[in-house]
Each structure stands twice: as structure tokens, then as C-alpha cells.
Amino acid sequence: MSHQEQRTRAEATPSQGTPWAQGPGRPQGIPETAAVLNQRIITRESLDSSVPAALKLKKRIKRFALDNELDHLPIGDIVSVALDEWLTTRGF
């Protein structure tokens, strides 16, 4: 995705009035998310965050897991993909 496409996409994303700064692009040396998540052993770090209760994310995640007959849903991997995509779109 070109820098202009990233800027357009970032501007189109609702930000509740907050003007997000556009970064210079994804830093060099950061591997693609899929490449990292497909490794057998992954060094992890904790990312503690609270989310709006109104979105009912815990309940929706449980429903997704049940509907898809999943014993284990890798929440950390899902968060990693979402945040990496969000930051990359904004040039960070």
C-alpha cells in the first residue's frame, strides 16, 4: 500500500475528532504478523488494556468460539493482528 493510500485510509477511519498523526511508514525490521504468529516459539510481552463494556467484546468472543467449535481462541494473536494492521495503516 502506498503512503498516499495509507493516508487516505487513515483519514477515512473514524477517530472521534482526534487528528491522528501519519507516521513515516512501517519501521524496517518488523516482520509481517503472519510470519511471527506461524513460528513455533514466540517471545511474548503483556499488553494490558481495558475496553468499553458497551461493545461486549468478551461475550462476543465467547459466542464466536462456541459457534466455531473452538476450544481455545488465541485472543493475544487476534489483538496482535488488529493492532499491527491499525498501526501499519497509520504509518507506524
Side-chain angles (χ1 to χ4, degrees):
M1 182 179 294
S2 74
H3 185 68
Q4 180 60 33
E5 289 171 325
Q6 288 178 351
R7 183 179 304 275
T8 302
R9 186 172 173 189
E11 289 171 357
T13 303
S15 62
Q16 300 176 346
T18 305
W20 299 105
Q22 182 66 30
R26 184 183 180 93
Q28 291 184 357
I30 295 180
E32 292 298 320
T33 308
V36 173
L37 295 177
N38 285 326
Q39 294 177 4
R40 182 179 166 115
I41 297 173
I42 302 171
T43 301
R44 296 191 179 255
E45 61 185 7
S46 179
L47 184 64
D48 189 22
S49 180
S50 60
V51 295
L55 297 177
K56 299 184 183 205
L57 294 173
K58 283 184 173 183
K59 182 178 182 177
R60 292 164 61 196
I61 288 167
K62 287 178 185 178
R63 181 81 258 162
F64 176 84
L66 286 170
D67 288 354
N68 289 281
E69 300 178 2
L70 300 172
D71 293 331
H72 172 71
L73 189 62
I75 305 270
D77 291 356
I78 294 167
V79 170
S80 298
V81 170
L83 280 174
D84 183 63
E85 185 175 308
W86 188 82
L87 287 167
T88 298
T89 298
R90 286 156 180 78
F92 290 91

